Amino acid sequence: MPPKKRLGDDEATIQQLKRRRKKNGEDVDFGLTDSVESDEEQLDITLEGSLVNGEVLFSGGTNWCMTGRSHLPKGVKNIGGRNLWGPHRISNLCGVRVRTVVSGCVACHSVIITAEGKVMTWGRNEKGQLGHGGTVRKDLPTPVEGLSDEVIIDAACGKNHTLFITEKGKVFACGDNKMGQLGIGHQSTCMSTPVKINYKGPPIRKVACGGEFSMLTDIRGNLYSFGCPEYGQLGNNSDGKYFVTSNKLSYTCDLVPKKVQVFIEKTREGHIIPVADVEIREIACGLNHTIALDSKKRVYTWGFGGYGRLGHSEPKDEMVPRQVKFFDGPTRGAVHIFAGSTYCLALTELGSLFFWGQTKSTGEASMYPKLVQDLSGWRVRSVGCCNKSIVVAADESVISWGPSPTYGELGYGDHKPHSSTVPQEVKTLDGIYIHGVACGYGHSLYLARADTEANREKLERLPIYTP
């Protein structure tokens, strides 16, 4: 029986590959910190975005300056905006076919991608995260002119930055870059127009953004990270801390995408075993933690461990991706993963939705995955994670819950409760089929079916939001 591979064997394996490829007269560039193999850099493929499309509906806070804040930052003027407690159509998107809606659990801005692959953004813009060449907030979806020549298939929103993927697997970034979260090779206050990240390798298929860091995965299933390493959320076995002076702490940020080399599991005895053959299929980020799903339906989490958000039954930070043992075993694998600011969710192959972490500022946290009992029997299709609230599209309904205070992201309506500690159906969307949902810090985006005249008639009964 061969010995189990040790963590330190990565370098030996690469040396073996070097010798073998050199013998065959091939390129031998296998640096441990290199992003990719050079013979994969020139792949010319076309990636597909979402195959569904519909009309965008919106509920939640539209006062982008004050969402999630008790006071305004210096130099920012409050333009105002109200909470939309029920789903609204957006005035300049009525009848526009959209295939993807994007936001993030710590984001106060949103991205939509039209059926033609054109991208529009709106919301908070103090760091240029909308990509419009300035820092003026937008109250309605506005085309990103800097990407007008590209076909965009997906995007991700961090606290103050945004990533966009083109159909060729290239990634463009804009917004705050003080921690290197744009991956462009240097740190700066902000980039208000999209710039291509500093990456050469296989086409990128998925992107995810945390508060001040970013993750990528390519078509080979490799995982890359960059930005702030404070709690180990980059997965490179470091929190990047160093002392500038005897009492001033700072962080060494990764300014370009670097490959995550090691995935581990821990036994009950505390032994660390590397996990082999990891091909990442999905990634999601909370404020300071990350969750990933591989081709074998295994789940990994790492970063800040407070309140059980990593699902390892302990509040310890993890510096490298660690397998969540709950999802390891026959019929226990996960098929989709989701992340909120301080919690995670996973949908298993049997259709069960599991939650761990904490959504309430008081009360007990779930230190390991627990079944969301109220959704047993529902066929979950899409999950959106706000800062504290959760919105789920399942069967013919939308279900949401979240603790107070909320901004309208639950979508219950003007004269209904504004929060709920248990999942409730969103009756304001009765009869409207929702393809998918995406959530920001305090708002929800719904992609509603609009294929038939009957669909459109139901949408026309909803109020229209005009700033």
Side-chain angles (χ1 to χ4, degrees):
M1 181 176 177
K4 289 181 178 176
K5 190 182 178 206
R6 301 185 308 275
L7 289 177
D9 287 344
D10 287 327
E11 191 168 1
T13 302
I14 287 176
Q15 293 302 323
Q16 290 174 7
L17 289 169
K18 278 187 177 182
R19 289 192 290 270
R20 188 176 69 198
R21 300 192 73 179
K22 188 172 184 179
K23 183 178 179 180
N24 295 334
E26 301 174 19
D27 178 26
V28 296
D29 187 10
F30 272 89
L32 270 173
T33 59
D34 288 347
S35 296
V36 292
E37 300 173 23
S38 59
D39 61 353
E40 292 184 321
E41 293 181 5
Q42 305 304 319
L43 289 178
D44 184 18
I45 65 170
T46 300
L47 302 171
E48 282 190 340
S50 172
L51 299 179
V52 301
N53 63 66
E55 184 174 317
V56 176
L57 305 177
F58 178 98
S59 70
T62 64
N63 187 348
W64 306 112
C65 298
M66 286 301 296
T67 299
R69 291 171 169 167
S70 58
H71 60 276
L72 284 171
K74 186 177 179 180
V76 176
K77 294 182 179 179
N78 186 9
I79 304 174
R82 60 194 174 97
N83 291 339
L84 305 179
W85 298 106
H88 284 61
R89 304 171 81 193
I90 300 175
S91 59
N92 69 335
L93 290 184
C94 293
V96 176
R97 308 292 286 186
V98 172
R99 69 182 182 192
T100 304
V101 289
V102 179
S103 193
C105 60
V106 292
C108 292
H109 65 288
S110 301
V111 178
I112 65 160
I113 302 168
T114 68
E116 297 78 29
K118 299 306 174 187
V119 65
M120 304 170 78
T121 60
W122 77 104
R124 187 181 293 175
N125 194 32
E126 292 154 16
K127 299 293 183 179
Q129 58 262 47
L130 300 186
H132 297 143
T135 56
V136 177
R137 82 179 225 182
K138 301 290 184 181
D139 289 322
L140 285 173
T142 305
V144 180
E145 297 298 339
L147 295 173
S148 59
D149 294 334
E150 304 287 347
V151 177
I152 304 300
I153 63 165
D154 206 356
C157 298
K159 184 178 180 181
N160 290 306
H161 72 291
T162 313
L163 303 181
F164 307 91
I165 309 178
T166 74
E167 65 176 354
K168 294 299 182 182
K170 298 176 182 177
V171 178
F172 290 83
C174 61
D176 188 10
N177 191 42
K178 68 180 180 183
M179 304 300 282
Q181 60 262 52
L182 299 189
I184 55 178
H186 60 83
Q187 292 168 267
S188 55
T189 52
C190 69
M191 301 293 292
S192 60
T193 55
V195 292
K196 191 177 175 184
I197 68 170
N198 191 349
Y199 167 86
K200 292 181 180 178
I204 296 299
R205 179 172 54 191
K206 296 281 185 182
V207 292
C209 295
E212 295 180 311
F213 69 101
S214 305
M215 310 292 297
L216 317 171
T217 181
D218 66 23
I219 60 171
R220 304 294 192 213
N222 297 311
L223 181 66
Y224 308 88
S225 64
F226 48 101
C228 177
E230 183 175 358
Y231 298 98
Q233 61 258 39
L234 299 187
N236 57 15
N237 202 28
S238 172
D239 59 9
K241 291 180 182 176
Y242 71 94
F243 283 96
V244 179
T245 63
S246 60
N247 58 0
K248 184 180 179 183
L249 189 66
S250 190
Y251 299 91
T252 301
C253 300
D254 284 349
L255 308 183
V256 297
K258 290 188 177 180
K259 186 176 176 180
V260 176
Q261 298 282 353
V262 178
F263 296 78
I264 65 167
E265 64 172 297
K266 286 185 181 179
T267 66
R268 289 183 178 179
E269 296 75 29
H271 299 305
I272 297 175
I273 305 170
V275 181
D277 303 321
V278 177
E279 292 183 15
I280 298 300
R281 290 287 180 264
E282 287 190 16
I283 45 177
C285 298
L287 178 62
N288 290 306
H289 73 286
T290 306
I291 178 171
L293 174 69
D294 74 4
S295 59
K296 296 183 179 180
K297 302 178 182 178
R298 298 175 294 196
V299 175
Y300 308 86
T301 59
W302 63 99
F304 186 47
Y307 302 110
R309 73 197 71 186
L310 301 185
H312 301 307
S313 299
E314 56 183 354
K316 180 175 169 291
D317 296 354
E318 297 290 340
M319 298 293 155
V320 296
R322 176 183 171 185
Q323 187 177 352
V324 182
K325 296 298 291 181
F326 182 90
F327 299 102
D328 188 22
T331 70
R332 297 190 68 169
V335 292
H336 293 297
I337 54 170
F338 315 93
S341 294
T342 56
Y343 61 91
C344 289
L345 293 143
L347 184 65
T348 69
E349 53 193 316
L350 296 181
S352 300
L353 186 65
F354 286 84
F355 169 93
W356 61 99
Q358 189 175 48
T359 57
K360 294 181 289 185
S361 55
T362 59
E364 190 177 342
S366 297
M367 302 299 293
Y368 56 89
K370 294 182 180 179
L371 180 67
V372 182
Q373 296 278 2
D374 295 278
L375 289 177
S376 295
W378 290 84
R379 188 177 303 168
V380 174
R381 178 170 57 258
S382 178
V383 178
C385 298
C386 298
N387 179 45
K388 299 294 184 183
S389 301
I390 300 168
V391 183
V392 176
D395 293 324
E396 303 296 317
S397 301
V398 173
I399 301 156
S400 65
W401 67 101
S404 181
T406 63
Y407 298 87
E409 65 267 26
L410 301 181
Y412 295 151
D414 285 333
H415 304 295
K416 299 293 183 180
H418 293 165
S419 63
S420 176
T421 56
V422 295
Q424 292 190 37
E425 283 190 69
V426 181
K427 296 297 185 181
T428 51
L429 289 170
D430 276 357
I432 298 174
Y433 184 88
I434 301 299
H435 290 298
V437 295
C439 292
Y441 185 99
H443 66 277
S444 299
L445 302 165
Y446 315 86
L447 190 60
R449 180 183 285 166
D451 300 330
T452 66
E453 191 63 38
N455 295 152
R456 290 188 285 273
E457 282 180 8
K458 290 175 181 176
L459 291 175
E460 286 169 3
R461 297 172 191 164
L462 293 175
I464 295 176
Y465 171 63
T466 304

